[in-house]
Amino acid sequence: MSPALDYKKAYKHLYQPGTQPEIMDVPEMCFLAVDGRGNPNTAEAYKEALELLYGFSYAIKMSKMSGTQPPGYYEYTVFPLEGLWWFEGKPFLMDGSIQLDKEAFIWRSMIRQPEFVDESCLEMARKALARKKPGLNLSKVQLIRFQEGLCVQCMHIGPYDAEPVTVKAMDAYALQEGYALDLAGERRHHEIYLGDPRKAAPDKLKTVIRHPVRKA
């Protein structure tokens, strides 16, 4: 039996960058996504979004147990939680220059899926989860394709509230290398959560941070 695909090894350039900023071109990928608003520390909508995303992701992964796995299925490790973050009508400046109003956050929470996941696979997972958790609003989950393109990225190690230090270094590096920040439209502040804040000490948390850029 072939070993399960481990995203940390198979896609190291996307999920294990160094602690120094780098420029990279992020390809198109498939995601489950839930949109919402509010402070992720207190908003029930954010808690529900995570429950939905993990519920769907594991329903798809474990479909083999009931013989309902889709064509092309292979063993894999569930991908990490990701988030796109922005404000309505104003720039999302996370370089320490302003105090962020977390209550005004708009977010898209996402978990990447293997390429064999399609709409029929999504519906299979929706039916499986409806039997287990009938109280959830399963209609909030959508299957999207997202091509992030040219970005500056870096591994941030430490608490989430200390991210502005890393972001400031990333933005400065991009400008130094001849790129302009491109936080506009669907191009958002992006975080990938490799640590579990319920288990890891805040100073040990690992978060990949990306900002979209374009050639200046």
Side-chain angles (χ1 to χ4, degrees):
M1 181 181 294
S2 300
L5 182 146
D6 184 344
Y7 66 86
K8 290 189 288 292
K9 296 178 181 178
Y11 306 107
K12 186 176 180 180
H13 60 300
L14 295 173
Y15 299 101
Q16 297 290 313
T19 55
Q20 297 299 313
E22 62 182 10
I23 302 293
M24 74 168 305
D25 195 357
V26 183
E28 183 179 82
M29 291 176 275
C30 175
F31 292 88
L32 294 177
V34 176
D35 295 340
R37 294 170 176 253
N39 187 336
N41 299 311
T42 58
E44 283 299 317
Y46 189 76
K47 180 181 177 181
E48 182 188 37
L50 270 55
E51 187 175 6
L52 285 166
L53 290 172
Y54 281 112
F56 272 74
S57 294
Y58 278 99
I60 294 169
K61 174 180 168 59
M62 301 307 295
S63 61
K64 61 174 183 175
M65 303 300 292
S66 59
T68 58
Q69 71 269 29
Y73 179 94
Y74 53 80
E75 294 287 348
Y76 63 98
T77 302
V78 170
F79 287 83
L81 178 70
E82 308 188 27
L84 302 176
W85 301 86
W86 67 99
F87 290 124
E88 185 172 0
K90 62 179 180 179
F92 192 95
L93 298 176
M94 200 176 184
D95 57 4
S97 59
I98 60 171
Q99 184 70 35
L100 294 180
D101 178 8
K102 294 180 181 180
E103 300 299 330
F105 279 169
I106 305 174
W107 40 263
R108 167 168 283 179
S109 291
M110 314 184 296
I111 294 181
R112 183 179 172 183
Q113 301 298 305
E115 290 303 309
F116 60 74
V117 175
D118 58 15
E119 288 293 339
S120 63
C121 193
L122 180 67
E123 288 309 308
M124 175 275 296
R126 203 185 306 275
K127 291 177 182 177
L129 204 57
R131 292 190 293 269
K132 293 182 179 180
K133 297 189 176 184
L136 287 177
N137 184 352
L138 305 179
S139 67
K140 290 184 177 181
V141 180
Q142 56 183 316
L143 185 67
I144 65 169
R145 300 198 68 85
F146 177 49
Q147 183 170 356
E148 198 162 15
L150 205 58
C151 292
V152 57
Q153 73 172 13
C154 188
M155 180 73 80
H156 170 76
I157 300 178
Y160 302 133
D161 285 344
E163 287 182 10
V165 175
T166 300
V167 168
K168 189 173 183 179
M170 289 168 50
D171 294 350
Y173 175 81
L175 293 173
Q176 171 190 306
E177 295 299 307
Y179 296 88
L181 296 181
D182 195 22
L183 286 163
E186 293 300 312
R187 312 198 75 202
R188 313 292 193 184
H189 172 86
H190 187 175
E191 300 179 357
I192 304 174
Y193 307 103
L194 303 180
D196 187 340
R198 298 170 301 177
K199 300 176 182 178
D203 62 336
K204 302 294 185 183
L205 287 172
K206 291 185 176 181
T207 307
V208 180
I209 303 177
R210 290 196 193 126
H211 272 183
V213 297
R214 55 179 170 77
K215 272 290 188 181

